């Protein structure tokens, strides 16, 4: 699978990534929040043993133990969408197995014992589901999952019971944002059992017009139905976004060009750049690329910047903690360098 | 003398121009506001006859009659600081004689019959006064001025009685502006008989940190005393501005660089630009040049843009009236082209 940050998926311009997450728990074992630390660490061993018995080479997969001292910037994993906020909260006894390409992540001791996640570039939910299912099947050969014939997979939170599946797409909707129509979209989505989150998942701000749209319901639907529903909703939203873009260009050509070129000009010029402003400006530039107004900026550069300009990644790059102003300075410097970079 | 817009006076970085204006009236003739139109036009002839008897070649000086139909953009003369708002208000029967280099302007039928103005680049009040006096002497040989032995030159407004002299410098004070100290400066200036106006004279907004500082009092002081007082005040203000700049650079290096480079970035990128925003951004860039932060923008370009981006000049350039949005579009286009221009 293609890493969403570094690959240029051509199939759908607005969708940055597609993600599948499966929640799994071991039978006859308390959920993580009820386990002692040593029991949790045993559980990590158990999952590792199950996973590494298969033909995966060591240099293809590795386990990252969040409590280890060298991992001072665990938040960078969250910023690369490899782990959840919840796993980070449990860092004293949580770990995840990740592939070299960073498209698969098996979180251990999140809210559930195991969270299998696969994330790929573009609008490719089926591909992501295939991979998650393969890993799920591998693990199931060695592990005894908590499963109820009637309910399906049992999970710590009742909202995940059933398939334990969350399918989500990360999508850029600048025209909907500009037209103040996102509230309407959120209401419509919620009514069909979907939910909208910000760039960094649950509880994160919806800044820079990037949204994660995912299924809310996992019970009573097959995996296929969940994916189909999500695809229909996302395609409708893409249609709406494209109509609005055409309308904006027709009615506000100069205003929108002004906004887009100013954003690019500021990103090329700024000496200090806050994270929020950076995301907003990147969104304007991305809109310019989507509209064909900006031709010399590659979307892969914009994807990379989404991650690289985040607070933890900025600090990890220099391997030390930075003051707010230092972060803003380093962020602006990085953006100035990257934004003129050509990637094909 | 050097035209303030197109010359790079090296003697004082912050002073864009020095201006002298002499108010003169003819003896035994009502002030302009009491004159019929035909009498006013006779007066124009009279002044022209007096002026053109001397050795000035025709292609060196010309008279512009503001009521002539081809002058649809009279406001451009105001924008180039060649005439006053008052002369423009009287355009149905006002004229001015101007030299090719646009450093001298003899306004006829302003508030007074005659207003001799000389304006030069940089901090060069003596040079400007010399030239105004020369023209004054030439005219006096042929015209009978209203003059009182005790009071001096008589003028329509009592504030101009005496020397009839207003000396002013146009100065850029961004650090004082940034530090919110301009109110204090204005108060101090007013107390020593000086006054502060905006970029386009009386009643104009003080935008873009450009101020005109001039003497308020013309009675009871010699021309020399007026100039000396003004020079002392302006030098004090320059000292204060320079101290504040050093302080800002010491305390807010990155913030000020950010502001300056962003301004330049926006000027290079914007598709629509309002007059006010343009003046503000030009001020930031000029500050960058003054501070040695921006090295590849010439101050002459910035001076030209001060004038060329004004509403009337923008319209004159395409010789038609423009909507607000068209003005903003043409202004932004002009700025994008000019700002990268090299002038030495």
């Amino acid at each position: 699978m293609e890493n969403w940050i570094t690959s240029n998926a051509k199939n759908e311009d607005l969708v940055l990534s597609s993600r599948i997450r499966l929640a799994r728990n071991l039978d006859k074992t308390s959920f993580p929040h009820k386990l002692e630390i040593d029991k949790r660490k045993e559980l990590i061993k158990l999952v590792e043993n199950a996973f590494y018995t298969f033909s995966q080479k060591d240099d293809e997969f590795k386990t990252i133990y969040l409590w280890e001292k060298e991992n001072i910037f665990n938040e960078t994993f969250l910023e690369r969408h490899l782990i959840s906020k919840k796993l980070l909260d449990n860092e004293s006894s949580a770990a995840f197995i990740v592939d070299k390409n960073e498209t698969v992540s098996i979180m251990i001791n999140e809210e559930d014992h195991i969270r299998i996640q696969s994330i790929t570039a573009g609008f490719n939910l089926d591909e992501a589901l295939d991979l998650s299912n393969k890993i799920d099947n591998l693990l199931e050969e060695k592990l005894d999952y908590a499963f109820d014939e009637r309910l399906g997979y049992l999970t710590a939170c009742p909202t995940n019971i059933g398939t334990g599946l969350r399918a989500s797409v990360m999508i850029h909707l600048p025209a909907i944002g500009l037209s103040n129509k996102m509230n309407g979209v959120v209401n419509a989505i919620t009514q069909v059992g979907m939910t909208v989150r910000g760039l960094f998942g649950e509880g994160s701000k919806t800044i820079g017009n990037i949204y994660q749209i995912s299924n809310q319901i996992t019970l009573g639907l097959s995996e296929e139905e969940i994916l189909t529903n999500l695809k229909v909703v996302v395609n409708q939203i893409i249609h709406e976004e494209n109509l609005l873009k055409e309308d904006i260009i027709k009615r506000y050509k100069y205003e929108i060009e002004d906004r887009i070129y100013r954003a690019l000009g500021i990103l090329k010029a700024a000496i200090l750049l806050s994270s929020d402003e950076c995301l907003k400006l990147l969104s304007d530039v991305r809109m310019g690329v989507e509209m064909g107004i900006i031709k010399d900026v590659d979307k892969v550069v914009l994807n990379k910047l989404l991650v690289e300009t985040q607070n933890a990644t900025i600090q990890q790059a220099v391997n030390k903690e930075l003051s707010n102003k230092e972060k803003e300075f380093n962020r602006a410097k990085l953006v100035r360098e990257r934004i003129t970079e050509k990637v094909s």
Side-chain angles (χ1 to χ4, degrees), chain A residues 143-183:
Chain A
L143 299 173
D144 200 8
Y145 282 162
F147 184 82
D148 179 275
E149 282 300 330
R150 209 170 45 89
L151 290 171
Y153 292 99
L154 301 178
T155 55
C157 176
T159 59
N160 291 317
I161 288 176
T163 56
L165 170 74
R166 184 179 287 270
S168 74
V169 296
M170 187 157 69
I171 187 164
H172 184 234
L173 303 171
I176 291 176
L178 268 178
S179 320
N180 288 320
K181 299 211 167 174
M182 198 58 207
N183 281 343

Short mmCIF file of all heavy atoms in Angstrom, two decimals, chain A residues 143-183:
data_model
loop_
_atom_site.label_atom_id
_atom_site.label_comp_id
_atom_site.label_asym_id
_atom_site.label_seq_id
_atom_site.Cartn_x
_atom_site.Cartn_y
_atom_site.Cartn_z
N LEU A 143 -4.32 -16.21 18.36
CA LEU A 143 -4.94 -15.58 19.53
C LEU A 143 -6.41 -15.95 19.60
O LEU A 143 -7.06 -16.17 18.58
CB LEU A 143 -4.79 -14.05 19.45
CG LEU A 143 -3.37 -13.49 19.43
CD1 LEU A 143 -3.41 -11.98 19.16
CD2 LEU A 143 -2.65 -13.79 20.74
N ASP A 144 -6.88 -15.97 20.85
CA ASP A 144 -8.28 -16.32 21.05
C ASP A 144 -9.07 -15.02 21.27
O ASP A 144 -9.04 -14.42 22.33
CB ASP A 144 -8.37 -17.24 22.28
CG ASP A 144 -9.67 -18.02 22.28
OD1 ASP A 144 -10.40 -17.95 21.26
OD2 ASP A 144 -9.94 -18.68 23.30
N TYR A 145 -9.77 -14.56 20.24
CA TYR A 145 -10.50 -13.29 20.32
C TYR A 145 -11.78 -13.42 21.15
O TYR A 145 -12.43 -14.46 21.14
CB TYR A 145 -10.92 -12.82 18.92
CG TYR A 145 -9.81 -12.17 18.10
CD1 TYR A 145 -9.95 -12.05 16.71
CD2 TYR A 145 -8.65 -11.65 18.68
CE1 TYR A 145 -8.98 -11.45 15.93
CE2 TYR A 145 -7.67 -11.05 17.90
CZ TYR A 145 -7.84 -10.95 16.53
OH TYR A 145 -6.89 -10.36 15.76
N ALA A 146 -12.14 -12.32 21.80
CA ALA A 146 -13.44 -12.25 22.48
C ALA A 146 -14.50 -12.02 21.42
O ALA A 146 -14.53 -10.95 20.80
CB ALA A 146 -13.44 -11.12 23.51
N PHE A 147 -15.34 -13.05 21.20
CA PHE A 147 -16.29 -12.98 20.11
C PHE A 147 -17.61 -13.59 20.56
O PHE A 147 -17.63 -14.64 21.19
CB PHE A 147 -15.72 -13.73 18.90
CG PHE A 147 -16.58 -13.65 17.67
CD1 PHE A 147 -16.53 -12.53 16.83
CD2 PHE A 147 -17.47 -14.68 17.35
CE1 PHE A 147 -17.32 -12.45 15.70
CE2 PHE A 147 -18.27 -14.60 16.21
CZ PHE A 147 -18.19 -13.48 15.38
N ASP A 148 -18.69 -12.95 20.25
CA ASP A 148 -20.01 -13.46 20.62
C ASP A 148 -20.77 -13.75 19.33
O ASP A 148 -20.82 -12.90 18.43
CB ASP A 148 -20.74 -12.40 21.45
CG ASP A 148 -22.14 -12.84 21.85
OD1 ASP A 148 -23.06 -12.63 21.02
OD2 ASP A 148 -22.29 -13.38 22.96
N GLU A 149 -21.35 -14.95 19.26
CA GLU A 149 -22.01 -15.37 18.02
C GLU A 149 -23.07 -14.36 17.57
O GLU A 149 -23.24 -14.08 16.39
CB GLU A 149 -22.68 -16.75 18.21
CG GLU A 149 -21.70 -17.92 18.15
CD GLU A 149 -20.97 -18.02 16.80
OE1 GLU A 149 -21.55 -17.62 15.75
OE2 GLU A 149 -19.79 -18.47 16.78
N ARG A 150 -23.77 -13.81 18.56
CA ARG A 150 -24.87 -12.92 18.23
C ARG A 150 -24.38 -11.48 18.02
O ARG A 150 -24.78 -10.80 17.07
CB ARG A 150 -25.91 -12.94 19.36
CG ARG A 150 -27.35 -12.66 18.92
CD ARG A 150 -28.33 -12.95 20.05
NE ARG A 150 -27.85 -12.39 21.32
CZ ARG A 150 -28.12 -11.15 21.75
NH1 ARG A 150 -28.88 -10.36 21.03
NH2 ARG A 150 -27.63 -10.71 22.90
N LEU A 151 -23.47 -11.02 18.90
CA LEU A 151 -23.05 -9.62 18.87
C LEU A 151 -21.85 -9.36 17.94
O LEU A 151 -21.69 -8.28 17.41
CB LEU A 151 -22.67 -9.14 20.28
CG LEU A 151 -23.81 -8.99 21.29
CD1 LEU A 151 -23.26 -8.73 22.69
CD2 LEU A 151 -24.74 -7.85 20.86
N GLY A 152 -21.02 -10.36 17.79
CA GLY A 152 -19.79 -10.15 17.02
C GLY A 152 -18.61 -9.92 17.95
O GLY A 152 -18.60 -10.42 19.08
N TYR A 153 -17.64 -9.14 17.51
CA TYR A 153 -16.46 -8.89 18.34
C TYR A 153 -16.84 -8.02 19.52
O TYR A 153 -17.56 -7.02 19.38
CB TYR A 153 -15.36 -8.21 17.51
CG TYR A 153 -14.79 -9.13 16.47
CD1 TYR A 153 -15.20 -9.05 15.14
CD2 TYR A 153 -13.86 -10.11 16.82
CE1 TYR A 153 -14.70 -9.92 14.18
CE2 TYR A 153 -13.34 -10.98 15.87
CZ TYR A 153 -13.77 -10.89 14.55
OH TYR A 153 -13.28 -11.75 13.61
N LEU A 154 -16.35 -8.41 20.69
CA LEU A 154 -16.66 -7.65 21.91
C LEU A 154 -15.56 -6.61 22.13
O LEU A 154 -14.38 -6.89 21.92
CB LEU A 154 -16.74 -8.59 23.11
CG LEU A 154 -17.80 -9.70 22.97
CD1 LEU A 154 -17.77 -10.63 24.18
CD2 LEU A 154 -19.20 -9.10 22.78
N THR A 155 -15.98 -5.42 22.52
CA THR A 155 -15.02 -4.31 22.66
C THR A 155 -15.26 -3.56 23.96
O THR A 155 -16.33 -3.67 24.57
CB THR A 155 -15.17 -3.32 21.49
OG1 THR A 155 -16.53 -2.89 21.44
CG2 THR A 155 -14.80 -3.96 20.16
N ALA A 156 -14.25 -2.79 24.38
CA ALA A 156 -14.33 -2.06 25.64
C ALA A 156 -15.46 -1.04 25.60
O ALA A 156 -16.17 -0.84 26.58
CB ALA A 156 -13.00 -1.36 25.93
N CYS A 157 -15.63 -0.40 24.47
CA CYS A 157 -16.71 0.58 24.33
C CYS A 157 -17.81 -0.03 23.47
O CYS A 157 -17.53 -0.57 22.39
CB CYS A 157 -16.15 1.85 23.69
SG CYS A 157 -17.43 3.08 23.37
N PRO A 158 -19.06 0.04 23.93
CA PRO A 158 -20.15 -0.61 23.20
C PRO A 158 -20.30 -0.11 21.75
O PRO A 158 -20.79 -0.86 20.90
CB PRO A 158 -21.41 -0.26 24.00
CG PRO A 158 -20.98 0.55 25.16
CD PRO A 158 -19.50 0.67 25.18
N THR A 159 -19.86 1.11 21.45
CA THR A 159 -20.03 1.63 20.08
C THR A 159 -19.20 0.84 19.07
O THR A 159 -19.46 0.93 17.88
CB THR A 159 -19.61 3.11 19.97
OG1 THR A 159 -18.24 3.23 20.36
CG2 THR A 159 -20.47 4.02 20.80
N ASN A 160 -18.23 0.08 19.56
CA ASN A 160 -17.39 -0.67 18.63
C ASN A 160 -17.77 -2.14 18.49
O ASN A 160 -17.20 -2.87 17.69
CB ASN A 160 -15.92 -0.56 19.04
CG ASN A 160 -15.38 0.84 18.85
OD1 ASN A 160 -15.65 1.47 17.83
ND2 ASN A 160 -14.65 1.33 19.84
N ILE A 161 -18.71 -2.56 19.32
CA ILE A 161 -19.14 -3.96 19.27
C ILE A 161 -19.70 -4.29 17.89
O ILE A 161 -20.31 -3.46 17.23
CB ILE A 161 -20.22 -4.23 20.37
CG1 ILE A 161 -19.55 -4.23 21.75
CG2 ILE A 161 -20.94 -5.56 20.13
CD1 ILE A 161 -20.52 -4.38 22.90
N GLY A 162 -19.45 -5.53 17.46
CA GLY A 162 -19.97 -5.97 16.15
C GLY A 162 -18.80 -6.30 15.25
O GLY A 162 -18.01 -7.20 15.56
N THR A 163 -18.67 -5.53 14.20
CA THR A 163 -17.51 -5.74 13.32
C THR A 163 -16.24 -5.21 13.95
O THR A 163 -15.14 -5.59 13.56
CB THR A 163 -17.70 -5.02 11.98
OG1 THR A 163 -17.95 -3.64 12.28
CG2 THR A 163 -18.87 -5.59 11.19
N GLY A 164 -16.40 -4.27 14.90
CA GLY A 164 -15.21 -3.61 15.46
C GLY A 164 -14.52 -2.75 14.42
O GLY A 164 -13.37 -2.33 14.58
N LEU A 165 -15.23 -2.46 13.36
CA LEU A 165 -14.63 -1.77 12.22
C LEU A 165 -14.92 -0.28 12.22
O LEU A 165 -16.07 0.14 12.37
CB LEU A 165 -15.19 -2.37 10.92
CG LEU A 165 -14.87 -1.64 9.61
CD1 LEU A 165 -13.42 -1.86 9.20
CD2 LEU A 165 -15.80 -2.12 8.49
N ARG A 166 -13.89 0.49 12.10
CA ARG A 166 -14.09 1.89 11.74
C ARG A 166 -13.37 2.15 10.42
O ARG A 166 -12.16 1.92 10.30
CB ARG A 166 -13.60 2.86 12.81
CG ARG A 166 -13.92 4.33 12.45
CD ARG A 166 -13.46 5.29 13.53
NE ARG A 166 -14.30 5.25 14.71
CZ ARG A 166 -15.38 6.01 14.89
NH1 ARG A 166 -15.79 6.82 13.96
NH2 ARG A 166 -16.04 5.93 16.01
N ALA A 167 -14.14 2.61 9.45
CA ALA A 167 -13.57 2.97 8.16
C ALA A 167 -13.63 4.49 8.06
O ALA A 167 -14.65 5.09 8.37
CB ALA A 167 -14.37 2.36 7.03
N SER A 168 -12.54 5.12 7.66
CA SER A 168 -12.61 6.57 7.57
C SER A 168 -11.77 7.09 6.42
O SER A 168 -10.79 6.48 6.00
CB SER A 168 -12.18 7.22 8.90
OG SER A 168 -10.80 7.13 9.05
N VAL A 169 -12.20 8.21 5.88
CA VAL A 169 -11.41 8.88 4.85
C VAL A 169 -11.06 10.28 5.34
O VAL A 169 -11.86 10.93 6.01
CB VAL A 169 -12.16 8.99 3.50
CG1 VAL A 169 -12.44 7.62 2.92
CG2 VAL A 169 -13.42 9.80 3.63
N MET A 170 -9.87 10.70 5.02
CA MET A 170 -9.44 12.06 5.35
C MET A 170 -9.58 12.88 4.07
O MET A 170 -9.01 12.54 3.03
CB MET A 170 -8.00 12.04 5.83
CG MET A 170 -7.55 13.39 6.34
SD MET A 170 -6.15 13.24 7.46
CE MET A 170 -4.88 12.71 6.33
N ILE A 171 -10.36 13.95 4.17
CA ILE A 171 -10.75 14.65 2.95
C ILE A 171 -10.60 16.16 3.13
O ILE A 171 -10.81 16.69 4.22
CB ILE A 171 -12.22 14.25 2.58
CG1 ILE A 171 -12.62 14.81 1.22
CG2 ILE A 171 -13.21 14.67 3.65
CD1 ILE A 171 -13.86 14.14 0.65
N HIS A 172 -10.21 16.82 2.05
CA HIS A 172 -10.01 18.27 2.07
C HIS A 172 -11.21 18.94 1.41
O HIS A 172 -11.49 18.69 0.24
CB HIS A 172 -8.72 18.61 1.29
CG HIS A 172 -8.37 20.05 1.32
ND1 HIS A 172 -8.13 20.79 0.17
CD2 HIS A 172 -8.21 20.92 2.36
CE1 HIS A 172 -7.84 22.04 0.52
NE2 HIS A 172 -7.88 22.14 1.83
N LEU A 173 -11.92 19.80 2.16
CA LEU A 173 -13.16 20.40 1.65
C LEU A 173 -13.13 21.93 1.78
O LEU A 173 -13.92 22.52 2.52
CB LEU A 173 -14.35 19.82 2.42
CG LEU A 173 -14.50 18.30 2.37
CD1 LEU A 173 -15.58 17.82 3.33
CD2 LEU A 173 -14.79 17.82 0.94
N PRO A 174 -12.24 22.59 1.06
CA PRO A 174 -12.09 24.03 1.23
C PRO A 174 -13.29 24.84 0.77
O PRO A 174 -13.65 25.83 1.40
CB PRO A 174 -10.85 24.35 0.39
CG PRO A 174 -10.78 23.27 -0.63
CD PRO A 174 -11.30 22.05 0.07
N ALA A 175 -13.93 24.44 -0.33
CA ALA A 175 -15.05 25.23 -0.84
C ALA A 175 -16.24 25.12 0.10
O ALA A 175 -16.94 26.11 0.36
CB ALA A 175 -15.43 24.77 -2.24
N ILE A 176 -16.46 23.93 0.65
CA ILE A 176 -17.52 23.76 1.65
C ILE A 176 -17.19 24.61 2.88
O ILE A 176 -18.05 25.29 3.43
CB ILE A 176 -17.70 22.27 2.02
CG1 ILE A 176 -18.31 21.52 0.82
CG2 ILE A 176 -18.56 22.10 3.26
CD1 ILE A 176 -18.46 20.01 1.02
N GLY A 177 -15.92 24.62 3.26
CA GLY A 177 -15.49 25.46 4.39
C GLY A 177 -15.71 26.94 4.11
O GLY A 177 -16.31 27.64 4.91
N LEU A 178 -15.25 27.39 2.94
CA LEU A 178 -15.38 28.81 2.57
C LEU A 178 -16.84 29.26 2.51
O LEU A 178 -17.16 30.40 2.81
CB LEU A 178 -14.76 29.05 1.18
CG LEU A 178 -13.31 29.47 1.13
CD1 LEU A 178 -12.87 29.60 -0.32
CD2 LEU A 178 -13.10 30.79 1.87
N SER A 179 -17.71 28.35 2.09
CA SER A 179 -19.12 28.70 1.94
C SER A 179 -19.90 28.50 3.24
O SER A 179 -21.13 28.61 3.25
CB SER A 179 -19.76 27.83 0.85
OG SER A 179 -18.90 27.67 -0.25
N ASN A 180 -19.17 28.21 4.32
CA ASN A 180 -19.82 27.98 5.61
C ASN A 180 -20.90 26.91 5.55
O ASN A 180 -21.94 27.03 6.19
CB ASN A 180 -20.43 29.29 6.15
CG ASN A 180 -19.35 30.24 6.60
OD1 ASN A 180 -18.37 29.83 7.20
ND2 ASN A 180 -19.54 31.52 6.29
N LYS A 181 -20.65 25.87 4.76
CA LYS A 181 -21.66 24.82 4.62
C LYS A 181 -21.29 23.57 5.39
O LYS A 181 -21.96 22.55 5.29
CB LYS A 181 -21.85 24.48 3.14
CG LYS A 181 -22.34 25.66 2.32
CD LYS A 181 -23.20 25.24 1.16
CE LYS A 181 -23.90 26.48 0.61
NZ LYS A 181 -24.65 26.24 -0.59
N MET A 182 -20.18 23.61 6.13
CA MET A 182 -19.73 22.40 6.78
C MET A 182 -20.70 21.94 7.87
O MET A 182 -20.89 20.73 8.05
CB MET A 182 -18.32 22.59 7.35
CG MET A 182 -17.62 21.27 7.65
SD MET A 182 -17.45 20.16 6.20
CE MET A 182 -17.38 18.55 7.01
N ASN A 183 -21.33 22.90 8.57
CA ASN A 183 -22.29 22.49 9.61
C ASN A 183 -23.43 21.68 9.02
O ASN A 183 -23.84 20.68 9.59
CB ASN A 183 -22.85 23.72 10.34
CG ASN A 183 -21.86 24.23 11.38
OD1 ASN A 183 -20.94 23.51 11.76
ND2 ASN A 183 -22.04 25.46 11.81
#
